[in-house]
Amino acid sequence: MGRDAGFAIMIGVRDLFRIGIGPSSSHTVGPMKAAHAFAQELEGRKFAAVRCDLMGSLAWTGSGHATDRAVILGLAGFRPDGIEPEEIDTIIAQVHDTKRLRIAHRDIAFDPDTDIAFDRESETPVHPNTMRLVAMDADGGEVLAQRWCSIGGGFIAQEGMVGDPVLEEEEEVPFPFTTASGLLALCEDNGLSIAEIVCANERARTSEAELYDYLDRIIAVMMDCIEHGTRAEGVLPGRLNVKRRARGIKQKLDADRYRNRQAPHAIMDHISLFAIAVNEENAAGGKVVTAPTNGAAGVVPAVLRYYRDFWPGADRAGCYEFLLTASAIGTLTKLNASISGAEVGCQGEVGTASAMAAAGLAAAMGATNLQVENAAEIAMEHHLGMTCDPVAGLVQIPCIERNAFGAIKAINAASLSLRGSGQHIVSLDQVIETMMRTGCDMHDKYKETSRGGLAVSFPEC
């Protein structure tokens, strides 16, 4: 087997690719999961009231990201992967109308306007996405109080556990890795591809059949999201009144094809269409796959769709190899940097998604392991320094188009890597480290607070 089997912090396919709802993995999915976990802790306890304080980035852009709605859903017992988008408005309206909420089998008075607060003053010493949940008895005494952090991509942790490797769950896997160089060494020692390494590690927690069933489900949701996005029309939620464009783009591309007048660059328009369709669905609160976040959810599906529809010889096995390889790159970024826009800017979201897609596509097209690593490095390198400055706190401008460009960069990176030997000067590990350092240096106003960049340069009407 080469290097010894051992224990490693296992971030796998099921962690990087999760089915959830829009518009944000860190501001919608994470808070819903945290509120759900808090409600579970209340089982069997006597309480009369519950309050939630949203702090940091959750306070600054939580309204546009539907964070308050997510908290209500989580407290009510719903999880992101277990609720249909069509149900949400009815549930939220009922709570606002009745001023009551059923939490942990207890029906209590709950007014979202006063019991959920957007606290922009309190410090967030551990992570910019912090929320405090408190349950009180009839006399106002605390029954349970917890502080949770939404650390990106739908991952959550109680504040005292963030970044503590001792408290991270480790699993025994045949091929533990924490760096790209270590991953490449494992591949070389054992004569395996990156996808085969990931598959072997995944089989330490599930069967091969269950793994491929999960990948099939992820692929289906991604493709359904594209299809739904290209059919939907209307205006996206929020005060910007952004019109959906995917349907119109598709109609124009179809018309050009039927008239046999496609532009040489039409393939780029198809890729952009796929990404825009997904992120319009995300902005509308639809069902998407975090890949690795909701804000960057369009990149991987767009590139996977490009492979499926346009690459000669594309097959199901290639789609599996794509996703398994992509998850390895997401794992490396998650372990050594961040995928949270509130922590490192959009370089951690769209940059990571583009690197994942580039690596996955290169692998599916027959690249060597060195070329795969090179593809990821190229894609990540050319997203360094990208800020997260959503206009009006909505995951719309510039987020939707940004996914289209991230997808096109991924394909370009994969193509460039396949034209080379895989040997290059700057390694993926160095780029990931640079991304984290750049994110730490970046001013907070450019990290998902809507207090800088486009968010303040755009004159709202």
Side-chain angles (χ1 to χ4, degrees):
M1 184 178 291
R3 295 172 188 248
D4 294 335
F7 287 86
I9 297 171
M10 184 70 172
I11 300 175
V13 172
R14 294 172 185 268
D15 303 301
L16 272 301
F17 301 118
R18 307 185 193 196
I19 298 170
I21 58 171
S24 172
S25 50
S26 60
H27 286 58
T28 314
V29 174
M32 188 188 300
K33 290 170 63 179
H36 182 272
F38 181 77
Q40 286 188 311
E41 286 289 317
L42 286 175
E43 292 282 352
R45 300 175 189 248
K46 293 183 179 181
F47 61 96
V50 169
R51 176 181 175 83
C52 176
D53 296 311
L54 303 171
M55 295 173 278
S57 177
L58 295 182
W60 285 104
T61 62
S63 179
H65 288 69
T67 308
D68 50 344
R69 290 160 61 92
V71 169
I72 293 171
L73 293 171
L75 291 174
F78 294 98
R79 290 181 58 85
D81 58 353
I83 189 170
E84 293 300 323
E86 296 78 13
E87 302 177 88
I88 295 174
D89 285 345
T90 301
I91 297 169
I92 298 298
Q94 184 178 26
V95 175
H96 276 276
D97 290 343
T98 64
K99 301 292 190 291
R100 302 203 62 85
L101 183 62
R102 189 166 183 79
I103 306 174
H105 306 295
R106 295 179 69 88
D107 189 74
I108 65 170
F110 187 87
D111 185 349
D113 294 330
T114 57
D115 291 325
I116 300 177
F118 293 89
D119 177 4
R120 297 177 178 177
E121 302 298 328
S122 295
E123 296 293 326
T124 55
V126 176
H127 195 280
N129 293 334
T130 300
M131 55 193 288
R132 183 174 185 262
L133 290 150
V134 183
M136 294 156 285
D137 59 26
D139 297 323
E142 284 191 2
V143 175
L144 178 67
Q146 293 179 341
R147 288 170 67 98
W148 286 87
C149 295
S150 180
I151 57 179
F155 289 85
I156 60 171
Q158 289 200 43
E159 189 176 54
M161 298 175 67
V162 175
D164 188 344
V166 176
L167 297 176
E168 297 278 3
E169 182 179 355
E170 292 192 350
E171 298 181 57
E172 188 172 9
V173 293
F175 302 110
F177 64 89
T178 57
T179 63
S181 60
L183 175 59
L184 290 174
L186 284 171
C187 292
E188 177 67 21
D189 289 353
N190 295 278
L192 298 172
S193 69
I194 292 174
E196 288 169 333
I197 290 286
V198 173
C199 185
N201 286 346
E202 289 290 333
R203 289 176 63 186
R205 58 159 65 165
T206 189
S207 69
E208 186 173 14
E210 290 173 330
L211 171 61
Y212 290 132
D213 283 346
Y214 186 78
L215 292 176
D216 283 335
R217 186 181 176 208
I218 291 300
I219 293 169
V221 173
M222 286 181 172
M223 297 305 121
D224 287 348
C225 189
I226 291 174
E227 293 300 327
H228 196 279
T230 57
R231 292 194 302 267
E233 52 187 339
V235 177
L236 296 174
R239 63 180 183 269
L240 295 180
N241 295 316
V242 174
K243 292 183 179 179
R244 285 181 179 255
R245 291 182 293 164
R247 179 185 172 93
I249 294 171
K250 185 178 187 302
Q251 289 174 337
K252 290 178 181 179
L253 286 171
D254 288 345
D256 286 348
R257 188 174 76 249
Y258 296 143
R259 294 170 187 166
N260 198 28
R261 64 177 192 188
Q262 294 187 88
H265 63 267
I267 187 65
M268 294 171 61
D269 293 336
H270 282 283
I271 297 159
S272 295
L273 166 65
F274 301 150
I276 288 171
V278 171
N279 283 85
E280 286 182 345
E281 282 296 288
N282 178 63
K287 182 179 289 188
V288 299
V289 175
T290 61
T293 68
N294 281 37
V299 178
V300 169
V303 179
L304 183 62
R305 181 65 170 258
Y306 163 78
Y307 166 76
R308 193 196 76 174
D309 290 2
F310 295 101
W311 184 254
D315 57 16
R316 202 66 170 180
C319 291
Y320 294 154
E321 185 168 22
F322 183 116
L323 292 177
L324 291 168
T325 304
S327 73
I329 305 305
T331 295
L332 293 172
T333 307
K334 175 67 179 165
L335 287 176
N336 297 294
S338 174
I339 57 173
S340 168
E343 193 170 19
V344 295
C346 199
Q347 58 174 354
E349 295 201 33
V350 171
T352 299
S354 187
M356 290 169 64
L361 179 62
M365 293 192 302
T368 66
N369 293 321
L370 289 176
Q371 289 171 325
V372 168
E373 185 263 358
N374 190 18
E377 181 274 325
I378 294 171
M380 176 68 78
E381 181 179 321
H382 297 290
H383 283 88
L384 290 177
M386 183 174 283
T387 60
C388 182
D389 51 354
V391 176
L394 299 168
V395 193
Q396 298 175 15
I397 301 173
C399 319
I400 294 172
E401 285 182 353
R402 185 166 286 176
N403 275 256
F405 281 85
I408 290 170
K409 283 185 181 181
I411 295 170
N412 195 23
S415 180
L416 284 173
S417 72
L418 283 162
R419 299 293 183 186
S421 65
Q423 300 293 331
H424 54 108
I425 295 174
V426 179
S427 71
L428 177 59
D429 287 329
Q430 290 170 325
V431 169
I432 290 174
E433 181 182 355
T434 300
M435 187 265 280
M436 188 63 189
R437 289 181 177 178
T438 303
C440 292
D441 291 340
M442 192 181 293
H443 195 287
D444 286 346
K445 68 182 181 181
Y446 298 115
K447 294 190 286 190
E448 210 165 357
T449 61
S450 289
R451 292 185 292 133
L454 284 176
V456 297
S457 300
F458 179 80
E460 292 187 51
C461 300

